[in-house]
Amino acid sequence: MSSKKLATFLAENLEDLKGKGLYNVIDPLESANGPMIIINGEELVNLSSNNYLGLATDSRLKEAATEAIQQFGVGAGAVRTINGTLKLHLELEEKLAQFKQTEAAIAYQSGFNCNMAAISGIMDKNDAILSDELNHASIIDGCRLSRAKIIRYNHSDMDDLHAKAKDATESGLYNKVMVITDGVFSMDGDIAKLPEIVQIAEEFDLITYVDDAHGSGVLGKGAGTVKHFGLSDKVDLQIGTLSKAIGVVGGYVAGKKDLIDWLKVRSRPFLFSTSLTPADVAASIRAVELLTESSELNEKLWENANYLKAGLVKLGFNIGNSETPITPCIIGEEVKTQEFSKRLYKEGVYAKSIVFPTVPKGTGRVRNMPSAAHTKEMLDQALVIYERVGKELGIITE
Ligand code: PMP
């Protein structure tokens, strides 16, 4: 018989979430996750995917994946350290290291896994981690898993970071101290102040850790936030995902050879979880090659992002402090934000609302993710709908 306690727990909590409007309703796609998507038979302009460069549907990646399936099958068959390492995995890691201008790299099954693996692989209960308060959930979980003391600093507040770094290092309580930040913050699209962070790290001998899930393929002509600031030799760990600009799935850590060697013997997702499939690896290799060979897709992404941003600002929307293609349309009040997103959806634009508790109360927004694959016509179509719905709901004036 199944547990009555579990049934009560689930019923009560699901009801509670639904009452608070926090129960996620998932709309399955009936098409690929490209610039236009089909949901419930309706075609919509897609402004909610992380497929920044359009590579998720690129024919060159599909070809590479198909060939790899024919040659190696659909699964890697084991964890990396048993016999789940194909030559393809090593080729991908070499290419990623070159791409990030580091000595070495290690691939994992997701970006989320990278943070669990790398943070807990290096830090332990005798250490402390200085973490930006807006860091991604996987960083927060990785920090918790490490059992290190977590010291949050105010978002991108360098005075606060400096003071907390000084306290932590001078206290004598900790062995190693790490500073950890997103390269690009996914809710507002702002960029971490890496030059200042690196300077503070040098002053207090902190380990520097940058999760560049949203910066890779986007900043530094595609090479990421660390390259954007010319700091490739100053950051100890660069984390990337293969699921956003690269268009596939998986993640990686890039850094010095000793660090990567250590993670290969100590990080648990590498040791205990089956490796990336041949198709994922081959498609990712092709994507990294494309990004290294040409900046064309990166330039198109920025052109489209600047076009959409200018269009929204001209209409009177508040796009916050975004410095990257991530374009929030800040509406404010939670119910109104959700209503706005629903109306956009009905009219033909898929742009998800993000409200408290994911973002602070009163800063609800509809987040737009333009990509290199959008055409000007698609973006214009979205802007026309934004204007109509924005006026109808009184978010912008007539
Ligand atoms: N880090 C950051 C900053 C992210 O935004 C995300 C994805 N939302 C991840 C890690 C997780 O990456 P993945 O989807 O590859 O697991």
Side-chain angles (χ1 to χ4, degrees), residues 29-53:
L29 272 62
E30 292 149 21
S31 64
N33 202 341
M36 301 294 291
I37 48 175
I38 300 175
I39 297 176
N40 286 324
E42 300 288 338
E43 191 175 53
L44 305 145
V45 182
N46 177 16
L47 288 175
S48 280
S49 148
N50 297 314
N51 179 19
Y52 284 113
L53 301 176

mmCIF file with all atom_site columns, all heavy atoms in Angstrom, residues 29-53:
data_model
loop_
_atom_site.group_PDB
_atom_site.id
_atom_site.type_symbol
_atom_site.label_atom_id
_atom_site.label_alt_id
_atom_site.label_comp_id
_atom_site.label_asym_id
_atom_site.label_entity_id
_atom_site.label_seq_id
_atom_site.pdbx_PDB_ins_code
_atom_site.Cartn_x
_atom_site.Cartn_y
_atom_site.Cartn_z
_atom_site.occupancy
_atom_site.B_iso_or_equiv
_atom_site.pdbx_formal_charge
_atom_site.auth_seq_id
_atom_site.auth_comp_id
_atom_site.auth_asym_id
_atom_site.auth_atom_id
_atom_site.pdbx_PDB_model_num
ATOM 1   N N   . LEU A 1 29 ? 5.910  21.427 -26.894 1.00 0.00 ? 29 LEU A N   1
ATOM 2   C CA  . LEU A 1 29 ? 6.119  21.915 -28.267 1.00 0.00 ? 29 LEU A CA  1
ATOM 3   C C   . LEU A 1 29 ? 5.793  20.817 -29.267 1.00 0.00 ? 29 LEU A C   1
ATOM 4   O O   . LEU A 1 29 ? 6.121  19.653 -29.043 1.00 0.00 ? 29 LEU A O   1
ATOM 5   C CB  . LEU A 1 29 ? 7.589  22.334 -28.463 1.00 0.00 ? 29 LEU A CB  1
ATOM 6   C CG  . LEU A 1 29 ? 7.947  23.774 -28.111 1.00 0.00 ? 29 LEU A CG  1
ATOM 7   C CD1 . LEU A 1 29 ? 7.711  24.063 -26.643 1.00 0.00 ? 29 LEU A CD1 1
ATOM 8   C CD2 . LEU A 1 29 ? 9.392  24.061 -28.478 1.00 0.00 ? 29 LEU A CD2 1
ATOM 9   N N   . GLU A 1 30 ? 5.165  21.231 -30.358 1.00 0.00 ? 30 GLU A N   1
ATOM 10  C CA  . GLU A 1 30 ? 4.869  20.273 -31.439 1.00 0.00 ? 30 GLU A CA  1
ATOM 11  C C   . GLU A 1 30 ? 5.817  20.491 -32.606 1.00 0.00 ? 30 GLU A C   1
ATOM 12  O O   . GLU A 1 30 ? 5.573  20.033 -33.720 1.00 0.00 ? 30 GLU A O   1
ATOM 13  C CB  . GLU A 1 30 ? 3.413  20.462 -31.883 1.00 0.00 ? 30 GLU A CB  1
ATOM 14  C CG  . GLU A 1 30 ? 2.419  20.027 -30.812 1.00 0.00 ? 30 GLU A CG  1
ATOM 15  C CD  . GLU A 1 30 ? 1.111  20.817 -30.846 1.00 0.00 ? 30 GLU A CD  1
ATOM 16  O OE1 . GLU A 1 30 ? 0.788  21.416 -31.883 1.00 0.00 ? 30 GLU A OE1 1
ATOM 17  O OE2 . GLU A 1 30 ? 0.423  20.841 -29.802 1.00 0.00 ? 30 GLU A OE2 1
ATOM 18  N N   . SER A 1 31 ? 6.888  21.224 -32.347 1.00 0.00 ? 31 SER A N   1
ATOM 19  C CA  . SER A 1 31 ? 7.878  21.523 -33.391 1.00 0.00 ? 31 SER A CA  1
ATOM 20  C C   . SER A 1 31 ? 9.247  21.563 -32.718 1.00 0.00 ? 31 SER A C   1
ATOM 21  O O   . SER A 1 31 ? 9.346  21.452 -31.502 1.00 0.00 ? 31 SER A O   1
ATOM 22  C CB  . SER A 1 31 ? 7.590  22.913 -33.964 1.00 0.00 ? 31 SER A CB  1
ATOM 23  O OG  . SER A 1 31 ? 7.782  23.881 -32.937 1.00 0.00 ? 31 SER A OG  1
ATOM 24  N N   . ALA A 1 32 ? 10.300 21.750 -33.530 1.00 0.00 ? 32 ALA A N   1
ATOM 25  C CA  . ALA A 1 32 ? 11.630 21.971 -32.957 1.00 0.00 ? 32 ALA A CA  1
ATOM 26  C C   . ALA A 1 32 ? 11.626 23.309 -32.213 1.00 0.00 ? 32 ALA A C   1
ATOM 27  O O   . ALA A 1 32 ? 10.778 24.170 -32.469 1.00 0.00 ? 32 ALA A O   1
ATOM 28  C CB  . ALA A 1 32 ? 12.667 22.003 -34.066 1.00 0.00 ? 32 ALA A CB  1
ATOM 29  N N   . ASN A 1 33 ? 12.598 23.477 -31.289 1.00 0.00 ? 33 ASN A N   1
ATOM 30  C CA  . ASN A 1 33 ? 12.660 24.720 -30.510 1.00 0.00 ? 33 ASN A CA  1
ATOM 31  C C   . ASN A 1 33 ? 13.452 25.782 -31.282 1.00 0.00 ? 33 ASN A C   1
ATOM 32  O O   . ASN A 1 33 ? 14.507 26.229 -30.879 1.00 0.00 ? 33 ASN A O   1
ATOM 33  C CB  . ASN A 1 33 ? 13.310 24.417 -29.151 1.00 0.00 ? 33 ASN A CB  1
ATOM 34  C CG  . ASN A 1 33 ? 12.942 25.459 -28.112 1.00 0.00 ? 33 ASN A CG  1
ATOM 35  O OD1 . ASN A 1 33 ? 12.513 26.558 -28.466 1.00 0.00 ? 33 ASN A OD1 1
ATOM 36  N ND2 . ASN A 1 33 ? 13.102 25.127 -26.853 1.00 0.00 ? 33 ASN A ND2 1
ATOM 37  N N   . GLY A 1 34 ? 12.890 26.173 -32.431 1.00 0.00 ? 34 GLY A N   1
ATOM 38  C CA  . GLY A 1 34 ? 13.541 27.161 -33.298 1.00 0.00 ? 34 GLY A CA  1
ATOM 39  C C   . GLY A 1 34 ? 12.990 28.557 -33.055 1.00 0.00 ? 34 GLY A C   1
ATOM 40  O O   . GLY A 1 34 ? 12.321 28.794 -32.047 1.00 0.00 ? 34 GLY A O   1
ATOM 41  N N   . PRO A 1 35 ? 13.214 29.483 -33.991 1.00 0.00 ? 35 PRO A N   1
ATOM 42  C CA  . PRO A 1 35 ? 12.742 30.864 -33.789 1.00 0.00 ? 35 PRO A CA  1
ATOM 43  C C   . PRO A 1 35 ? 11.218 30.969 -33.811 1.00 0.00 ? 35 PRO A C   1
ATOM 44  O O   . PRO A 1 35 ? 10.643 31.886 -33.235 1.00 0.00 ? 35 PRO A O   1
ATOM 45  C CB  . PRO A 1 35 ? 13.369 31.615 -34.963 1.00 0.00 ? 35 PRO A CB  1
ATOM 46  C CG  . PRO A 1 35 ? 13.694 30.580 -35.984 1.00 0.00 ? 35 PRO A CG  1
ATOM 47  C CD  . PRO A 1 35 ? 13.990 29.325 -35.230 1.00 0.00 ? 35 PRO A CD  1
ATOM 48  N N   . MET A 1 36 ? 10.560 30.030 -34.527 1.00 0.00 ? 36 MET A N   1
ATOM 49  C CA  . MET A 1 36 ? 9.105  29.932 -34.482 1.00 0.00 ? 36 MET A CA  1
ATOM 50  C C   . MET A 1 36 ? 8.787  28.553 -33.909 1.00 0.00 ? 36 MET A C   1
ATOM 51  O O   . MET A 1 36 ? 9.465  27.577 -34.242 1.00 0.00 ? 36 MET A O   1
ATOM 52  C CB  . MET A 1 36 ? 8.494  30.026 -35.888 1.00 0.00 ? 36 MET A CB  1
ATOM 53  C CG  . MET A 1 36 ? 8.801  31.296 -36.652 1.00 0.00 ? 36 MET A CG  1
ATOM 54  S SD  . MET A 1 36 ? 8.102  32.813 -35.948 1.00 0.00 ? 36 MET A SD  1
ATOM 55  C CE  . MET A 1 36 ? 6.349  32.604 -36.230 1.00 0.00 ? 36 MET A CE  1
ATOM 56  N N   . ILE A 1 37 ? 7.773  28.467 -33.055 1.00 0.00 ? 37 ILE A N   1
ATOM 57  C CA  . ILE A 1 37 ? 7.416  27.163 -32.490 1.00 0.00 ? 37 ILE A CA  1
ATOM 58  C C   . ILE A 1 37 ? 5.908  26.929 -32.651 1.00 0.00 ? 37 ILE A C   1
ATOM 59  O O   . ILE A 1 37 ? 5.158  27.887 -32.838 1.00 0.00 ? 37 ILE A O   1
ATOM 60  C CB  . ILE A 1 37 ? 7.791  27.054 -30.983 1.00 0.00 ? 37 ILE A CB  1
ATOM 61  C CG1 . ILE A 1 37 ? 7.325  28.285 -30.210 1.00 0.00 ? 37 ILE A CG1 1
ATOM 62  C CG2 . ILE A 1 37 ? 9.269  26.783 -30.810 1.00 0.00 ? 37 ILE A CG2 1
ATOM 63  C CD1 . ILE A 1 37 ? 7.548  28.186 -28.719 1.00 0.00 ? 37 ILE A CD1 1
ATOM 64  N N   . ILE A 1 38 ? 5.533  25.659 -32.557 1.00 0.00 ? 38 ILE A N   1
ATOM 65  C CA  . ILE A 1 38 ? 4.105  25.334 -32.624 1.00 0.00 ? 38 ILE A CA  1
ATOM 66  C C   . ILE A 1 38 ? 3.677  24.727 -31.289 1.00 0.00 ? 38 ILE A C   1
ATOM 67  O O   . ILE A 1 38 ? 4.296  23.775 -30.797 1.00 0.00 ? 38 ILE A O   1
ATOM 68  C CB  . ILE A 1 38 ? 3.812  24.356 -33.781 1.00 0.00 ? 38 ILE A CB  1
ATOM 69  C CG1 . ILE A 1 38 ? 4.232  25.013 -35.111 1.00 0.00 ? 38 ILE A CG1 1
ATOM 70  C CG2 . ILE A 1 38 ? 2.328  23.984 -33.821 1.00 0.00 ? 38 ILE A CG2 1
ATOM 71  C CD1 . ILE A 1 38 ? 4.118  24.121 -36.321 1.00 0.00 ? 38 ILE A CD1 1
ATOM 72  N N   . ILE A 1 39 ? 2.661  25.339 -30.689 1.00 0.00 ? 39 ILE A N   1
ATOM 73  C CA  . ILE A 1 39 ? 2.066  24.815 -29.454 1.00 0.00 ? 39 ILE A CA  1
ATOM 74  C C   . ILE A 1 39 ? 0.553  24.787 -29.659 1.00 0.00 ? 39 ILE A C   1
ATOM 75  O O   . ILE A 1 39 ? -0.021 25.784 -30.130 1.00 0.00 ? 39 ILE A O   1
ATOM 76  C CB  . ILE A 1 39 ? 2.427  25.705 -28.235 1.00 0.00 ? 39 ILE A CB  1
ATOM 77  C CG1 . ILE A 1 39 ? 3.943  25.706 -28.009 1.00 0.00 ? 39 ILE A CG1 1
ATOM 78  C CG2 . ILE A 1 39 ? 1.709  25.216 -26.967 1.00 0.00 ? 39 ILE A CG2 1
ATOM 79  C CD1 . ILE A 1 39 ? 4.414  26.615 -26.908 1.00 0.00 ? 39 ILE A CD1 1
ATOM 80  N N   . ASN A 1 40 ? -0.060 23.680 -29.330 1.00 0.00 ? 40 ASN A N   1
ATOM 81  C CA  . ASN A 1 40 ? -1.513 23.526 -29.542 1.00 0.00 ? 40 ASN A CA  1
ATOM 82  C C   . ASN A 1 40 ? -1.931 23.900 -30.956 1.00 0.00 ? 40 ASN A C   1
ATOM 83  O O   . ASN A 1 40 ? -2.945 24.572 -31.157 1.00 0.00 ? 40 ASN A O   1
ATOM 84  C CB  . ASN A 1 40 ? -2.291 24.410 -28.545 1.00 0.00 ? 40 ASN A CB  1
ATOM 85  C CG  . ASN A 1 40 ? -2.247 23.820 -27.158 1.00 0.00 ? 40 ASN A CG  1
ATOM 86  O OD1 . ASN A 1 40 ? -2.269 22.599 -27.003 1.00 0.00 ? 40 ASN A OD1 1
ATOM 87  N ND2 . ASN A 1 40 ? -2.142 24.673 -26.155 1.00 0.00 ? 40 ASN A ND2 1
ATOM 88  N N   . GLY A 1 41 ? -1.102 23.543 -31.916 1.00 0.00 ? 41 GLY A N   1
ATOM 89  C CA  . GLY A 1 41 ? -1.436 23.811 -33.319 1.00 0.00 ? 41 GLY A CA  1
ATOM 90  C C   . GLY A 1 41 ? -1.211 25.245 -33.762 1.00 0.00 ? 41 GLY A C   1
ATOM 91  O O   . GLY A 1 41 ? -1.399 25.577 -34.927 1.00 0.00 ? 41 GLY A O   1
ATOM 92  N N   . GLU A 1 42 ? -0.808 26.124 -32.838 1.00 0.00 ? 42 GLU A N   1
ATOM 93  C CA  . GLU A 1 42 ? -0.625 27.542 -33.187 1.00 0.00 ? 42 GLU A CA  1
ATOM 94  C C   . GLU A 1 42 ? 0.850  27.855 -33.366 1.00 0.00 ? 42 GLU A C   1
ATOM 95  O O   . GLU A 1 42 ? 1.676  27.430 -32.557 1.00 0.00 ? 42 GLU A O   1
ATOM 96  C CB  . GLU A 1 42 ? -1.160 28.450 -32.062 1.00 0.00 ? 42 GLU A CB  1
ATOM 97  C CG  . GLU A 1 42 ? -2.625 28.288 -31.734 1.00 0.00 ? 42 GLU A CG  1
ATOM 98  C CD  . GLU A 1 42 ? -3.535 28.859 -32.815 1.00 0.00 ? 42 GLU A CD  1
ATOM 99  O OE1 . GLU A 1 42 ? -3.079 29.725 -33.585 1.00 0.00 ? 42 GLU A OE1 1
ATOM 100 O OE2 . GLU A 1 42 ? -4.697 28.403 -32.893 1.00 0.00 ? 42 GLU A OE2 1
ATOM 101 N N   . GLU A 1 43 ? 1.183  28.629 -34.379 1.00 0.00 ? 43 GLU A N   1
ATOM 102 C CA  . GLU A 1 43 ? 2.567  29.028 -34.587 1.00 0.00 ? 43 GLU A CA  1
ATOM 103 C C   . GLU A 1 43 ? 2.852  30.340 -33.836 1.00 0.00 ? 43 GLU A C   1
ATOM 104 O O   . GLU A 1 43 ? 2.057  31.283 -33.895 1.00 0.00 ? 43 GLU A O   1
ATOM 105 C CB  . GLU A 1 43 ? 2.839  29.216 -36.079 1.00 0.00 ? 43 GLU A CB  1
ATOM 106 C CG  . GLU A 1 43 ? 4.325  29.357 -36.332 1.00 0.00 ? 43 GLU A CG  1
ATOM 107 C CD  . GLU A 1 43 ? 4.674  29.419 -37.800 1.00 0.00 ? 43 GLU A CD  1
ATOM 108 O OE1 . GLU A 1 43 ? 4.089  30.257 -38.504 1.00 0.00 ? 43 GLU A OE1 1
ATOM 109 O OE2 . GLU A 1 43 ? 5.558  28.635 -38.209 1.00 0.00 ? 43 GLU A OE2 1
ATOM 110 N N   . LEU A 1 44 ? 3.946  30.362 -33.106 1.00 0.00 ? 44 LEU A N   1
ATOM 111 C CA  . LEU A 1 44 ? 4.265  31.522 -32.266 1.00 0.00 ? 44 LEU A CA  1
ATOM 112 C C   . LEU A 1 44 ? 5.701  31.966 -32.504 1.00 0.00 ? 44 LEU A C   1
ATOM 113 O O   . LEU A 1 44 ? 6.575  31.131 -32.773 1.00 0.00 ? 44 LEU A O   1
ATOM 114 C CB  . LEU A 1 44 ? 4.146  31.132 -30.783 1.00 0.00 ? 44 LEU A CB  1
ATOM 115 C CG  . LEU A 1 44 ? 2.829  30.530 -30.324 1.00 0.00 ? 44 LEU A CG  1
ATOM 116 C CD1 . LEU A 1 44 ? 3.068  29.477 -29.267 1.00 0.00 ? 44 LEU A CD1 1
ATOM 117 C CD2 . LEU A 1 44 ? 1.926  31.617 -29.785 1.00 0.00 ? 44 LEU A CD2 1
ATOM 118 N N   . VAL A 1 45 ? 5.964  33.268 -32.359 1.00 0.00 ? 45 VAL A N   1
ATOM 119 C CA  . VAL A 1 45 ? 7.356  33.739 -32.363 1.00 0.00 ? 45 VAL A CA  1
ATOM 120 C C   . VAL A 1 45 ? 7.939  33.314 -31.019 1.00 0.00 ? 45 VAL A C   1
ATOM 121 O O   . VAL A 1 45 ? 7.372  33.627 -29.961 1.00 0.00 ? 45 VAL A O   1
ATOM 122 C CB  . VAL A 1 45 ? 7.442  35.280 -32.501 1.00 0.00 ? 45 VAL A CB  1
ATOM 123 C CG1 . VAL A 1 45 ? 8.902  35.720 -32.546 1.00 0.00 ? 45 VAL A CG1 1
ATOM 124 C CG2 . VAL A 1 45 ? 6.691  35.769 -33.728 1.00 0.00 ? 45 VAL A CG2 1
ATOM 125 N N   . ASN A 1 46 ? 9.063  32.594 -31.083 1.00 0.00 ? 46 ASN A N   1
ATOM 126 C CA  . ASN A 1 46 ? 9.630  32.031 -29.856 1.00 0.00 ? 46 ASN A CA  1
ATOM 127 C C   . ASN A 1 46 ? 10.669 32.975 -29.256 1.00 0.00 ? 46 ASN A C   1
ATOM 128 O O   . ASN A 1 46 ? 11.753 33.149 -29.811 1.00 0.00 ? 46 ASN A O   1
ATOM 129 C CB  . ASN A 1 46 ? 10.269 30.676 -30.194 1.00 0.00 ? 46 ASN A CB  1
ATOM 130 C CG  . ASN A 1 46 ? 10.939 30.035 -29.000 1.00 0.00 ? 46 ASN A CG  1
ATOM 131 O OD1 . ASN A 1 46 ? 10.697 30.420 -27.855 1.00 0.00 ? 46 ASN A OD1 1
ATOM 132 N ND2 . ASN A 1 46 ? 11.772 29.046 -29.262 1.00 0.00 ? 46 ASN A ND2 1
ATOM 133 N N   . LEU A 1 47 ? 10.334 33.559 -28.111 1.00 0.00 ? 47 LEU A N   1
ATOM 134 C CA  . LEU A 1 47 ? 11.313 34.438 -27.445 1.00 0.00 ? 47 LEU A CA  1
ATOM 135 C C   . LEU A 1 47 ? 11.649 33.892 -26.055 1.00 0.00 ? 47 LEU A C   1
ATOM 136 O O   . LEU A 1 47 ? 11.919 34.665 -25.128 1.00 0.00 ? 47 LEU A O   1
ATOM 137 C CB  . LEU A 1 47 ? 10.751 35.868 -27.364 1.00 0.00 ? 47 LEU A CB  1
ATOM 138 C CG  . LEU A 1 47 ? 10.698 36.610 -28.705 1.00 0.00 ? 47 LEU A CG  1
ATOM 139 C CD1 . LEU A 1 47 ? 10.008 37.965 -28.568 1.00 0.00 ? 47 LEU A CD1 1
ATOM 140 C CD2 . LEU A 1 47 ? 12.087 36.811 -29.302 1.00 0.00 ? 47 LEU A CD2 1
ATOM 141 N N   . SER A 1 48 ? 11.631 32.572 -25.925 1.00 0.00 ? 48 SER A N   1
ATOM 142 C CA  . SER A 1 48 ? 11.895 31.994 -24.596 1.00 0.00 ? 48 SER A CA  1
ATOM 143 C C   . SER A 1 48 ? 12.958 30.906 -24.584 1.00 0.00 ? 48 SER A C   1
ATOM 144 O O   . SER A 1 48 ? 13.136 30.256 -23.571 1.00 0.00 ? 48 SER A O   1
ATOM 145 C CB  . SER A 1 48 ? 10.608 31.420 -24.004 1.00 0.00 ? 48 SER A CB  1
ATOM 146 O OG  . SER A 1 48 ? 9.838  32.462 -23.454 1.00 0.00 ? 48 SER A OG  1
ATOM 147 N N   . SER A 1 49 ? 13.646 30.725 -25.691 1.00 0.00 ? 49 SER A N   1
ATOM 148 C CA  . SER A 1 49 ? 14.615 29.630 -25.706 1.00 0.00 ? 49 SER A CA  1
ATOM 149 C C   . SER A 1 49 ? 16.030 30.168 -25.488 1.00 0.00 ? 49 SER A C   1
ATOM 150 O O   . SER A 1 49 ? 16.316 31.332 -25.766 1.00 0.00 ? 49 SER A O   1
ATOM 151 C CB  . SER A 1 49 ? 14.494 28.908 -27.042 1.00 0.00 ? 49 SER A CB  1
ATOM 152 O OG  . SER A 1 49 ? 15.723 28.398 -27.437 1.00 0.00 ? 49 SER A OG  1
ATOM 153 N N   . ASN A 1 50 ? 16.907 29.305 -24.975 1.00 0.00 ? 50 ASN A N   1
ATOM 154 C CA  . ASN A 1 50 ? 18.319 29.683 -24.775 1.00 0.00 ? 50 ASN A CA  1
ATOM 155 C C   . ASN A 1 50 ? 19.170 29.325 -25.984 1.00 0.00 ? 50 ASN A C   1
ATOM 156 O O   . ASN A 1 50 ? 20.390 29.348 -25.919 1.00 0.00 ? 50 ASN A O   1
ATOM 157 C CB  . ASN A 1 50 ? 18.889 28.936 -23.563 1.00 0.00 ? 50 ASN A CB  1
ATOM 158 C CG  . ASN A 1 50 ? 18.189 29.306 -22.285 1.00 0.00 ? 50 ASN A CG  1
ATOM 159 O OD1 . ASN A 1 50 ? 17.972 30.480 -22.011 1.00 0.00 ? 50 ASN A OD1 1
ATOM 160 N ND2 . ASN A 1 50 ? 17.821 28.309 -21.495 1.00 0.00 ? 50 ASN A ND2 1
ATOM 161 N N   . ASN A 1 51 ? 18.513 28.971 -27.055 1.00 0.00 ? 51 ASN A N   1
ATOM 162 C CA  . ASN A 1 51 ? 19.167 28.534 -28.290 1.00 0.00 ? 51 ASN A CA  1
ATOM 163 C C   . ASN A 1 51 ? 19.696 29.780 -29.023 1.00 0.00 ? 51 ASN A C   1
ATOM 164 O O   . ASN A 1 51 ? 19.282 30.110 -30.127 1.00 0.00 ? 51 ASN A O   1
ATOM 165 C CB  . ASN A 1 51 ? 18.096 27.778 -29.097 1.00 0.00 ? 51 ASN A CB  1
ATOM 166 C CG  . ASN A 1 51 ? 18.561 27.268 -30.418 1.00 0.00 ? 51 ASN A CG  1
ATOM 167 O OD1 . ASN A 1 51 ? 19.763 27.130 -30.668 1.00 0.00 ? 51 ASN A OD1 1
ATOM 168 N ND2 . ASN A 1 51 ? 17.610 26.993 -31.301 1.00 0.00 ? 51 ASN A ND2 1
ATOM 169 N N   . TYR A 1 52 ? 20.640 30.487 -28.343 1.00 0.00 ? 52 TYR A N   1
ATOM 170 C CA  . TYR A 1 52 ? 21.061 31.825 -28.763 1.00 0.00 ? 52 TYR A CA  1
ATOM 171 C C   . TYR A 1 52 ? 21.484 31.926 -30.229 1.00 0.00 ? 52 TYR A C   1
ATOM 172 O O   . TYR A 1 52 ? 21.246 32.915 -30.885 1.00 0.00 ? 52 TYR A O   1
ATOM 173 C CB  . TYR A 1 52 ? 22.270 32.268 -27.929 1.00 0.00 ? 52 TYR A CB  1
ATOM 174 C CG  . TYR A 1 52 ? 21.943 32.703 -26.525 1.00 0.00 ? 52 TYR A CG  1
ATOM 175 C CD1 . TYR A 1 52 ? 22.376 31.968 -25.440 1.00 0.00 ? 52 TYR A CD1 1
ATOM 176 C CD2 . TYR A 1 52 ? 21.229 33.871 -26.283 1.00 0.00 ? 52 TYR A CD2 1
ATOM 177 C CE1 . TYR A 1 52 ? 22.103 32.369 -24.138 1.00 0.00 ? 52 TYR A CE1 1
ATOM 178 C CE2 . TYR A 1 52 ? 20.952 34.291 -24.997 1.00 0.00 ? 52 TYR A CE2 1
ATOM 179 C CZ  . TYR A 1 52 ? 21.391 33.529 -23.925 1.00 0.00 ? 52 TYR A CZ  1
ATOM 180 O OH  . TYR A 1 52 ? 21.114 33.938 -22.653 1.00 0.00 ? 52 TYR A OH  1
ATOM 181 N N   . LEU A 1 53 ? 22.187 30.888 -30.710 1.00 0.00 ? 53 LEU A N   1
ATOM 182 C CA  . LEU A 1 53 ? 22.760 30.994 -32.058 1.00 0.00 ? 53 LEU A CA  1
ATOM 183 C C   . LEU A 1 53 ? 21.969 30.183 -33.085 1.00 0.00 ? 53 LEU A C   1
ATOM 184 O O   . LEU A 1 53 ? 22.362 30.097 -34.237 1.00 0.00 ? 53 LEU A O   1
ATOM 185 C CB  . LEU A 1 53 ? 24.228 30.547 -32.033 1.00 0.00 ? 53 LEU A CB  1
ATOM 186 C CG  . LEU A 1 53 ? 25.119 31.357 -31.071 1.00 0.00 ? 53 LEU A CG  1
ATOM 187 C CD1 . LEU A 1 53 ? 26.530 30.789 -31.034 1.00 0.00 ? 53 LEU A CD1 1
ATOM 188 C CD2 . LEU A 1 53 ? 25.172 32.835 -31.485 1.00 0.00 ? 53 LEU A CD2 1
#
